Amino acid sequence: MKSAMRPAKPPRRIPPKKPSNQKDPVGVYCRVRPLSPSDQECCIEVINETTVQLHPPDGCKANRNGEYKETQYSFKQVFGTLVTQKELFDVVSKPLVEDVIRGRNGLLFTYGVTGSGKTYTMTGSPGEGGLLPRCLSMIFNSIGKYQAKRYVFKSDEKNGMDVQNEVDALLERQKREAQPQVIPRTPLTRQRVDPEFADMINIQDHCKIEEVDEDSVYSVFVSYIEIYNNYIYDLLEEVPLDPIKPKPPQSKILREDQNHNMYIAGCTEVEVKSTEEAFDVFWKGQKRRRIANTQLNRESSRSHSVFIIKLAQAPLDADGDNVLQEREQITVSQLSLVDLAGSERTNRTKAEGNRLREAGNINQSLMTLRTCIEVLRENQLCGTNKMVPYRDSKLTHLFKNYFDGEGKVRMIVCVNPKADDHEESLQVMRFAEMTQEVEVARPADKPICGLTPGRRYRNQAFKEELTRRLEERGGPQNGESDDQSVTDLLIQSFPPLPSCELLDANDDQTLPRLIEILEKRRRIRQMMGDEFNKNVCSFRAMLQDVNGAVTAKENFVQGKMTEKDRTIVSQKSEMERMEKKIKTLEYKIDILEKTTTIYEEEKRTLQQDLESQHHKLQRQLSDKRRLEARIQGMVNENAMKWEKECERRVAAKQLEMQNKLWVKDEKLKQLKAIVTESKSDKPERPPRERDREPKIPKRSISPAPVPNIPPVNMRHRRSRSAGTERWVDHKPPSSMETDTVMQPHIPNSIKVAVPSEKALAKCDRYMLTHQQLASDGELETKLIKGDVYKTRSGGQSVQFTDIETLRQESPPSASRKRRSSPCNDPPQGETTDSDWTDVETRCSVAVEMRAGSNLGPGYQHHAIPKRRKP
Ligand code: ADP
Ligand code: MG
């Protein structure tokens, strides 16, 4: 028997579903494409099987730090320019295809800048089929004879598969073929293959996996999508083409199935039965992609294309005849082949406007991919548990499960050694090297059907055995043909009856001939009867044989059934136990979920609180800062103000002190003069006369403030002839007219409210009218007089020489109404002294303010410089 000759298979066990604790790093391979004829300089060198070296192009030998730098990068394997598509496939993709056939998932993507050979590697070129056609070819070579009939497997539209029996499948096929199509569809197998792709599928290098589970049936489904600008488009969707107003393609959304795997909702999955058919479908999608890119003016190098090969497998029933009609027994595995968009930065393609923004989004997907890889790596290296931002882009979201341990991940980094690509190649290399530090959990084995292995072959062997036995007993086939020939021969030799009509009484020929023929026919009939009996006997024997075989089979099946019944009973009790356990666990999960919800809510509230507190704090902080700034400003302002005030007060005080000192000096001098005068016995002149002579200091209690060092050049003093003196009569606007009897009358004067240099230049005398309230409440008018000098700098200065006081008094002292200088009355002199000082200070301030220059505390006379600032 055939099955007996096959090696006994190890008994199957149902492996645990999840998880596998073993981890594998992401397999990163590097492929260096040959330089194109237009490029001269090669910047990449393959050092050995695992290392490449990049060196900067001749033009820019120094990097940013100003140093010439060669960098080496290591990968799982490096393929030089001479590597063939087959060699690459054997190393990189073959293990992935083997995995898919064994029910595990795989993800393979090509990464690199535009023109680095990603599409060449993935799709290939005529005569040089890439990884995609080779993967398809290997799958069909391996499962070829175990393929299920079309429509036995049916997508459930939720990333799962349903199974139906062959009769239903046949009915469905007929139904579908009868349906009017949206687009008239030629059967795929009869479609003309694009000549561009025709050569790719003629893969000479026959490749297949030997160990395929022959107790299952298989079916291949393919999908082809494009991700552009973070939108997913189904390239196999049948949409009615409107040549006048083509509808823009509708994007698809991602969903999570019940096993938490991501899938594209509503994506077309085409069941294919051969490499050619599969490649036809790919070609159709490729064509649609090109049309869409042209119509919508897209940059094709900026889109990611994903070709998904889905393999559904279901075990045969116990008899090995039909597919087991149990949904849970179906295994679906898939291989995703991703040709990523060019990894270069946007400016390289000189995109503008919309395209730039779209390109930005595409770059965004690649950036998200990079970020995800970085976070995964960080989590693994540092033991952190940062959230991986898969959801930030459709590309990473779709392949999230692979990185979470749903399958093997491999990447081929394509590089072009030309000088222009050097900068970008460095980025690519860095990312690729980092990627291989990420480890992905090894996918767990899928549970395999618990039926005894070798069913298909046992069934086949049984049928063969039956045929053989029948053959041994003069088997129906040969025997039948022999019998057929004997019977045919007999029938052919059956002589026809001659004419029985007697023509005359003497006819002695007709009857004997008839007798002879009838005799012959009787003999043949006898022979036929014998042959028939013989056949009946052999047929009866055959029937008995068949009966025996059927009984044997029945017994065998009966035995099996009893065995199965026992297994079922034990499994039922096991199931009950498990169900109880499940209930308990569900109850626990329920509680845990509730607790989690409570905690999450609490967390949310706390986070909100924290946020609001944080905001409040921020607000307070900014308020505080504002206030501080304001206070600081005020403090500075005040400080400055007070500084100025202090300086002013110090100056005034100094002046005052100087004056006092001077007055005292003067008094001493006067005393001395009096002493000397009394000695010389000089007659005193009447006080009025004295008043008229302001130049004599001793007659004034408020003497002219003659400085020790005169600040003026005396030569510049104007000549003063009697009667021709000109006066500046400085009367502040606030001055009031009094009805004092002895009003000063200066005929030749310039009246000013504010002294000006111009007025002073024209005159040689100056008089200020100052009014104040005296201690008795009467208005007191002081006439402060001085000489005008020309200063060395060309300005004017006034030297005060005399003060006249005019005041009114009430009747009791009216007899003493006078116009006198306070110098006669020493106690009053004290008062006037201080008044004078006060007035002096005021005058000085008044003049000083006009002059805009401070001559310092040592000067009692004040200059008004010729050139003043306004
Ligand atoms: P990408 O998809 O990265 O933009 P392509 O695969 O389209 O780049 O490659 C650009 C060109 O370079 C194509 O004409 C392709 O045939 C050629 N090419 C790329 N890699 C190879 C290689 N390894 N051997 C020969 N030609 C290659
Ligand atoms: Mg490409």
Side-chain angles (χ1 to χ4, degrees), residues 24-249:
D24 296 312
V26 172
V28 181
Y29 301 82
C30 176
R31 184 186 203 177
V32 185
R33 61 159 281 185
L35 265 186
S36 39
S38 53
D39 298 308
Q40 266 114 43
E41 197 186 348
C42 175
C43 293
I44 299 177
E45 196 184 329
V46 179
I47 301 283
N48 57 37
E49 276 232 316
T50 56
T51 315
V52 275
Q53 180 167 294
L54 267 72
H55 55 85
D58 282 340
C60 58
K61 287 222 162 171
N63 67 2
R64 271 195 208 102
N65 302 329
E67 56 197 35
Y68 177 88
K69 217 171 161 190
E70 282 166 342
T71 39
Q72 290 195 350
Y73 298 92
S74 294
F75 299 102
K76 195 162 178 183
Q77 195 163 335
V78 174
F79 301 97
T81 51
L82 298 176
V83 76
T84 62
Q85 300 277 56
K86 158 101 175 116
E87 281 160 2
L88 187 79
F89 170 77
D90 284 347
V91 178
V92 184
S93 308
K94 215 167 153 184
L96 291 177
V97 176
E98 283 169 3
D99 269 8
V100 167
I101 294 172
R102 299 220 161 85
R104 296 188 211 116
N105 298 331
L107 168 65
L108 172 67
F109 49 88
T110 50
Y111 184 87
V113 299
T114 300
S116 59
K118 297 184 296 296
T119 307
Y120 178 82
T121 300
M122 197 53 95
T123 314
S125 61
E128 283 291 327
L131 301 180
L132 190 148
R134 280 169 202 274
C135 286
L136 284 170
S137 165
M138 183 173 168
I139 289 175
F140 283 109
N141 286 341
S142 307
I143 61 159
K145 55 181 173 177
Y146 307 123
Q147 280 199 70
K149 294 253 159 50
R150 218 181 274 272
Y151 302 127
V152 164
F153 287 102
K154 256 172 71 180
S155 167
D156 67 354
E157 311 281 323
K158 287 175 192 147
N159 207 29
M161 283 286 169
D162 282 330
V163 68
Q164 59 184 352
N165 62 42
E166 287 190 11
V167 179
D168 290 341
L170 187 69
L171 284 175
E172 178 155 357
R173 191 157 76 224
Q174 285 169 353
K175 203 170 78 189
R176 286 205 192 195
E177 274 165 14
Q179 260 175 12
Q181 296 290 325
V182 186
I183 297 170
R185 197 168 58 175
T186 43
L188 275 170
T189 38
R190 261 185 274 143
Q191 263 187 12
R192 198 175 47 82
V193 176
D194 193 318
E196 193 182 320
F197 295 111
D199 288 349
M200 288 199 203
I201 47 179
N202 287 338
I203 291 151
Q204 306 299 319
D205 329 301
H206 191 82
C207 191
K208 66 181 275 192
I209 169 173
E210 294 303 333
E211 289 273 301
V212 179
D213 177 12
E214 75 273 335
D215 288 327
S216 294
V217 289
Y218 301 83
S219 216
V220 178
F221 293 81
V222 292
S223 319
Y224 192 22
I225 58 146
E226 180 179 36
I227 305 179
Y228 187 88
N229 191 22
N230 211 22
Y231 287 108
I232 300 175
Y233 299 102
D234 183 357
L235 293 174
L236 303 182
E237 196 172 25
E238 298 281 355
V239 273
L241 274 176
D242 186 348
I244 298 158
K245 200 181 162 202
K247 257 200 336 201

Side-chain angles (χ1 to χ4, degrees), residues 50 122 227 277 345 529-530 593 627 642 677 769 772 831:
T50 56
M122 197 53 95
I227 305 179
E277 196 185 337
R345 280 156 290 188
D530 285 352
E593 271 176 357
L627 206 73
W642 281 107
E677 240 174 88
T769 309
Q772 69 180 54
T831 329

Side-chain angles (χ1 to χ4, degrees), residues 16 37 47 86 185 226 229 249 263 304 362 379 392 415 421-422 439 481 495 610 620 649 718 753 778 815:
I47 301 283
K86 158 101 175 116
R185 197 168 58 175
E226 180 179 36
N229 191 22
Y263 72 98
H304 315 284
I362 291 148
N379 281 349
D392 288 2
V415 276
D421 275 5
H422 178 72
E439 290 192 327
S481 62
L610 195 75
Q620 282 177 353
R649 285 190 189 177
R718 286 184 183 81
E778 292 294 338
S815 58

Side-chain angles (χ1 to χ4, degrees), residues 601-809:
E601 245 161 51
E602 225 167 86
K603 192 181 142 197
R604 228 172 292 136
T605 5
L606 284 175
Q607 263 173 350
Q608 275 169 1
D609 274 5
L610 195 75
E611 246 164 58
S612 67
Q613 291 290 342
H614 181 72
H615 283 162
K616 216 162 115 185
L617 207 73
Q618 287 284 331
R619 255 201 321 274
Q620 282 177 353
L621 214 72
S622 69
D623 279 357
K624 204 179 121 195
R625 256 184 237 130
R626 257 204 316 275
L627 206 73
E628 265 176 15
R630 230 166 59 199
I631 289 171
Q632 192 59 43
M634 268 156 69
V635 164
N636 286 348
E637 204 177 292
N638 275 344
M640 255 154 64
K641 212 161 91 186
W642 281 107
E643 228 168 77
K644 266 189 195 157
E645 178 67 18
C646 286
E647 271 171 18
R648 197 187 61 74
R649 285 190 189 177
V650 164
K653 203 77 195 164
Q654 269 176 347
L655 195 64
E656 187 187 326
M657 296 314 282
Q658 280 283 339
N659 283 336
K660 276 185 181 167
L661 206 72
W662 186 84
V663 166
K664 280 199 178 119
D665 265 3
E666 235 8 76
K667 274 182 186 169
L668 269 170
K669 270 185 205 160
Q670 279 174 14
L671 263 169
K672 204 172 158 188
I674 290 165
V675 169
T676 335
E677 240 174 88
S678 60
K679 271 183 191 162
S680 61
D681 236 24
K682 243 185 169 177
E684 238 183 81
R685 279 185 285 176
R688 273 189 64 85
E689 255 175 72
R690 264 193 292 155
D691 284 351
R692 298 247 166 94
E693 281 178 55
K695 296 286 294 173
I696 302 160
K698 65 168 182 174
R699 283 167 49 221
S700 170
I701 191 101
S702 47
V706 182
N708 295 340
I709 310 154
V712 293
N713 186 351
M714 296 312 270
R715 278 177 299 168
H716 291 112
R717 190 176 162 182
R718 286 184 183 81
S719 59
R720 204 183 298 162
S721 47
T724 57
E725 274 183 345
R726 278 201 83 183
W727 284 78
V728 174
D729 185 5
H730 177 190
K731 223 173 228 171
S734 56
S735 299
M736 285 176 7
E737 284 302 320
T738 55
D739 45 358
T740 315
V741 179
M742 308 280 280
Q743 290 283 348
H745 172 70
I746 311 164
N748 195 14
S749 69
I750 299 170
K751 284 195 170 54
V752 290
V754 179
S756 66
E757 193 207 341
K758 208 169 136 196
L760 285 168
K762 288 180 192 154
C763 306
D764 34 29
R765 305 281 337 250
Y766 167 85
M767 182 173 77
L768 167 70
T769 309
H770 169 75
Q771 289 181 325
Q772 69 180 54
L773 274 181
S775 52
D776 55 1
E778 292 294 338
L779 188 72
E780 187 181 76
T781 307
K782 282 193 171 145
L783 306 174
I784 303 153
K785 298 175 190 166
D787 293 330
V788 178
Y789 295 95
K790 241 195 174 91
T791 60
R792 275 197 204 93
S793 57
Q796 308 296 328
S797 84
V798 176
Q799 190 173 353
F800 295 107
T801 50
D802 191 14
I803 292 176
E804 253 177 73
T805 307
L806 315 177
R807 59 182 295 176
Q808 291 173 317
E809 272 173 20

Side-chain angles (χ1 to χ4, degrees), residues 243-491:
I244 298 158
K245 200 181 162 202
K247 257 200 336 201
Q250 293 294 300
S251 66
K252 301 279 170 194
I253 55 163
L254 286 178
R255 287 233 176 94
E256 200 178 75
D257 68 7
Q258 53 182 8
N259 299 321
H260 305 292
N261 288 327
M262 299 310 300
Y263 72 98
I264 304 146
C267 180
T268 315
E269 289 178 337
V270 181
E271 188 174 6
V272 284
K273 292 289 166 206
S274 66
T275 312
E276 288 77 12
E277 196 185 337
F279 209 77
D280 268 352
V281 173
F282 171 76
W283 164 73
K284 219 161 99 182
Q286 190 74 356
K287 211 165 152 187
R288 235 173 244 172
R289 188 180 173 200
R290 260 191 241 163
I291 292 171
N293 283 345
T294 319
Q295 277 177 353
L296 304 172
N297 187 27
R298 290 180 187 159
E299 177 106 41
S300 67
S301 71
R302 300 239 147 243
S303 71
H304 315 284
S305 75
V306 184
F307 190 76
I308 301 169
I309 306 171
K310 207 179 231 185
L311 183 70
Q313 45 187 304
L316 289 171
D317 61 8
D319 282 345
D321 268 341
N322 296 305
V323 189
L324 197 65
Q325 300 290 306
E326 284 177 27
R327 204 185 127 92
E328 305 79 61
Q329 293 291 347
I330 304 172
T331 304
V332 182
S333 50
Q334 67 177 48
L335 175 61
S336 304
L337 302 172
V338 188
D339 186 357
L340 288 175
S343 68
E344 64 274 6
R345 280 156 290 188
T346 334
N347 55 8
R348 223 175 94 127
T349 54
K350 298 181 184 70
E352 282 170 11
N354 253 7
R355 286 178 84 181
L356 181 72
R357 188 169 44 75
E358 288 167 5
N361 265 340
I362 291 148
N363 264 356
Q364 194 62 41
S365 334
L366 282 181
M367 209 137 90
T368 311
L369 176 67
R370 282 194 281 264
T371 316
C372 289
I373 299 263
E374 266 166 38
V375 174
L376 275 168
R377 176 168 152 265
E378 196 187 319
N379 281 349
Q380 285 168 9
L381 290 182
C382 317
T384 48
N385 197 16
K386 264 199 203 169
M387 202 189 73
V388 186
Y390 293 118
R391 281 163 187 274
D392 288 2
S393 86
K394 294 279 190 318
L395 180 76
T396 48
H397 200 188
L398 179 61
F399 298 121
K400 163 181 175 289
N401 308 107
Y402 287 96
F403 291 100
D404 288 347
E406 275 299 326
K408 219 175 244 172
V409 184
R410 292 196 164 183
M411 179 164 99
I412 300 174
V413 177
C414 298
V415 276
N416 190 342
K418 66 174 178 178
D420 293 351
D421 275 5
H422 178 72
E423 274 281 312
E424 298 291 352
S425 295
L426 278 176
Q427 302 287 339
V428 169
M429 290 293 181
R430 274 182 214 134
F431 168 64
E433 219 178 28
M434 182 188 72
T435 305
Q436 55 188 349
E437 285 177 32
V438 173
E439 290 192 327
V440 172
R442 192 173 292 174
D445 281 333
K446 299 260 161 100
I448 306 169
C449 171
L451 296 170
T452 51
R455 298 184 296 285
R456 189 194 286 270
Y457 281 97
R458 241 197 331 272
N459 187 31
Q460 224 169 345
F462 174 74
K463 282 179 186 163
E464 278 169 12
E465 179 69 15
L466 194 69
T467 324
R468 195 180 56 79
R469 276 199 208 171
L470 287 174
E471 272 172 23
E472 268 174 10
R473 298 175 176 242
Q477 255 190 358
N478 287 342
E480 200 178 53
S481 62
D482 282 357
D483 286 347
Q484 198 67 39
S485 56
V486 170
T487 318
D488 282 354
L489 249 151
L490 287 171
I491 288 170

